[in-house]
Amino acid sequence: MSTKSSKKQPQRLSIPIRTRTREEDDSRVSSLPDSILCHILSFLPTKQAVATTILSKRWKPLCLSVSILDFDFNDISTLSMKTSANLFCLVYSVMLSRHDTLPIQTFRLICCPSRTRYAEDIIELIISAIQRRTQTLELDLKFIRIHNNFVSNLFICRTLTVLKLKRLTIWEDIPQINNNISPLKTLHLEKLYFTTYTHLINFLLSFPLLEELETNDLHICQQRFVPKEADKIKCLRNLMTAKISDNEPLPLFLLSRVHANLSIKLTRACFVEVPVFYNLTQMEIFSDLKRRSWPNKWMWILEMLQNTPKLQHLIIHEKMGMIMRSTVGRTQRRFPNAFHLSSKLVCLGIIEPMNASFNLLNMLCAVQKY
């Protein structure tokens, strides 16, 4: 018999863990106020939000009260005609079931109609949304041609502050609406087609209170030149920031009053007139010509410096950059005091490759010593 007393192992208390039943979970969700449930539903695509109406009678009015409508039919071109029609019926059902007095915070529509007969229906649907005090409108319509009635509703909407358009064709003349000031603050345009530069200019000038402009890959179908009457055409006077990356050059005089930040991506030779940027303090230039020839590129950049008297921060992103000695000589003769005109410049950044940084610094030094 062992004299050592055996140590007693501590007893573990087993506490039964009670799992909630599905009915209890449903009860917890149902106890939330309507405002919380509507906020949760606003994070879902509208098609999924509509599916919650089968849960109970309470969910149907909640779904119709959601202020964010998100319809994404990106793969509709691969669907059958019957399925496509059902999807559009869903959109119409939601819009018709909502009360006219309910404002729409965000209306987002992505679609690729497989047949042109849907185009008119889509436009009428969007106009209906705009007329219901929409604040943010985001459209990706896969190159549908839009008519003047649609554009006019954009201009006269008193609640629209954010507009993002992608893959649209604006083919007709831009309607001129007298005594109308659109409250739009933010405008993003990507892969839009305009007939002429005049159409593009009139479209942008229809938003005089614009503060943020972003354009990417705009196309001009017929008119192949930019109007040179820079001093005779209005500009966007309230613009704070502009980010330009276009296949066709955007008339820069529209941006001459930009207050804070200007970002330009150069993908080909740019022959547009360079205006004076009276208030600009920050400028970022992306140069990616993809081996296209533009011997006067640095002369154009130095002209931008010459016409930006308040510039403080300049960043240049250069790819495949080379500067020929002849360019430096021409720059000295044309802009002998270009760098001195930007006397408030306190920050200069040049990003890759090394030869581009070395060449640009040599040019600036050469101009300064002249």
Side-chain angles (χ1 to χ4, degrees):
M1 186 175 181
S2 174
T3 57
K4 295 181 180 180
S5 59
S6 59
K7 295 181 180 180
K8 294 183 178 180
Q9 297 293 332
Q11 295 182 356
R12 296 182 179 180
L13 297 177
S14 59
I15 301 176
I17 300 176
R18 181 176 175 270
T19 58
R20 293 193 300 266
T21 64
R22 181 177 178 180
E23 288 75 11
E24 290 174 327
D25 285 337
D26 293 343
S27 177
R28 288 168 62 90
V29 173
S30 300
S31 64
L32 296 174
D34 289 353
S35 59
I36 299 292
L37 292 177
C38 284
H39 184 67
I40 294 173
L41 290 176
S42 67
F43 291 95
L44 296 176
T46 302
K47 183 179 179 180
Q48 297 181 15
V50 170
T52 62
T53 57
I54 65 173
L55 298 177
S56 67
K57 293 182 178 179
R58 181 193 177 192
W59 286 86
K60 185 173 182 179
L62 290 178
C63 173
L64 298 177
S65 300
V66 174
S67 60
I68 298 179
L69 301 180
D70 184 358
F71 301 101
D72 187 349
F73 303 149
N74 194 39
D75 58 346
I76 195 172
S77 59
T78 63
L79 302 175
S80 65
M81 180 181 293
K82 182 179 179 180
T83 307
S84 302
N86 291 338
L87 290 176
F88 283 111
C89 286
L90 168 66
V91 181
Y92 276 109
S93 176
V94 171
M95 294 298 296
L96 292 175
S97 300
R98 289 174 58 90
H99 199 278
D100 292 343
T101 60
L102 286 176
I104 299 176
Q105 179 180 339
T106 299
F107 184 88
R108 178 173 177 263
L109 177 61
I110 301 176
C111 65
C112 179
S114 57
R115 290 159 180 82
T116 56
R117 71 183 186 88
Y118 287 119
E120 291 298 325
D121 297 334
I122 293 172
I123 298 302
E124 293 302 322
L125 171 67
I126 298 170
I127 291 175
S128 175
I130 295 173
Q131 293 173 347
R132 299 190 184 191
R133 295 180 292 165
T134 297
Q135 299 175 24
T136 298
L137 182 65
E138 300 181 20
L139 303 176
D140 181 357
L141 300 184
K142 307 296 175 66
F143 307 111
I144 291 178
R145 288 189 179 186
I146 58 177
H147 48 67
N148 280 345
N149 188 25
F150 169 82
V151 178
S152 298
N153 276 273
L154 290 179
F155 295 162
I156 65 177
C157 182
R158 298 298 182 184
T159 57
L160 189 64
T161 57
V162 178
L163 177 61
K164 299 180 181 181
L165 302 179
K166 183 177 180 181
R167 288 184 282 194
L168 282 173
T169 300
I170 301 178
W171 199 254
E172 300 178 358
D173 292 336
I174 302 301
Q176 302 297 315
I177 302 176
N178 297 326
N179 301 321
N180 176 73
I181 299 180
S182 169
L184 194 74
K185 302 292 185 182
T186 301
L187 177 62
H188 292 184
L189 306 177
E190 183 177 354
K191 291 183 173 63
L192 258 65
Y193 283 78
F194 292 87
T195 308
T196 66
Y197 273 108
T198 303
H199 290 171
L200 171 60
I201 293 170
N202 290 339
F203 182 80
L204 294 177
L205 291 177
S206 299
F207 306 110
L209 302 182
L210 197 64
E211 296 180 358
E212 177 186 335
L213 173 64
E214 183 174 328
T215 67
N216 183 22
D217 199 13
L218 300 185
H219 296 265
I220 307 300
C221 300
Q222 294 180 6
Q223 188 179 11
R224 306 307 301 175
F225 62 91
V226 179
K228 295 184 178 180
E229 299 83 1
D231 297 333
K232 299 179 182 179
I233 301 179
K234 298 178 182 179
C235 60
L236 299 169
R237 294 184 173 274
N238 289 336
L239 201 61
M240 297 299 297
T241 63
K243 185 176 181 181
I244 310 301
S245 176
D246 293 317
N247 191 40
E248 305 287 349
L250 184 73
L252 292 179
F253 59 81
L254 290 169
L255 316 177
S256 60
R257 295 289 180 175
V258 62
H259 290 270
N261 187 19
L262 174 62
S263 175
I264 300 178
K265 184 176 181 180
L266 303 173
T267 58
R268 60 178 60 197
C270 183
F271 301 105
V272 296
E273 295 284 331
V274 177
V276 177
F277 295 93
Y278 298 94
N279 303 311
L280 186 63
T281 58
Q282 300 182 41
M283 181 162 59
E284 193 168 9
I285 298 177
F286 296 82
S287 177
D288 185 8
L289 299 180
K290 303 184 186 303
R291 300 187 181 276
R292 297 187 181 96
S293 175
W294 187 13
N296 296 328
K297 180 181 70 174
W298 296 106
M299 295 176 65
W300 185 87
I301 291 177
L302 286 177
E303 187 176 1
M304 293 285 289
L305 284 176
Q306 182 192 39
N307 291 355
T308 315
K310 295 183 180 180
L311 187 65
Q312 298 179 16
H313 299 270
L314 171 64
I315 299 177
I316 298 178
H317 302 258
E318 172 66 18
K319 291 186 178 180
M320 307 300 295
M322 288 296 292
I323 300 179
M324 305 302 293
R325 291 186 179 181
S326 59
T327 305
V328 177
R330 289 195 300 271
T331 305
Q332 290 177 0
R333 292 191 295 271
R334 186 175 178 185
F335 306 110
N337 296 314
F339 195 59
H340 291 291
L341 291 177
S342 299
S343 58
K344 295 187 178 182
L345 190 67
V346 296
C347 178
L348 171 63
I350 306 171
I351 301 176
E352 291 299 339
M354 182 62 69
N355 62 336
S357 304
F358 179 76
N359 286 331
L360 179 58
L361 290 175
N362 279 343
M363 175 174 286
L364 292 176
C365 292
V367 172
Q368 191 173 17
K369 290 178 180 178
Y370 183 80

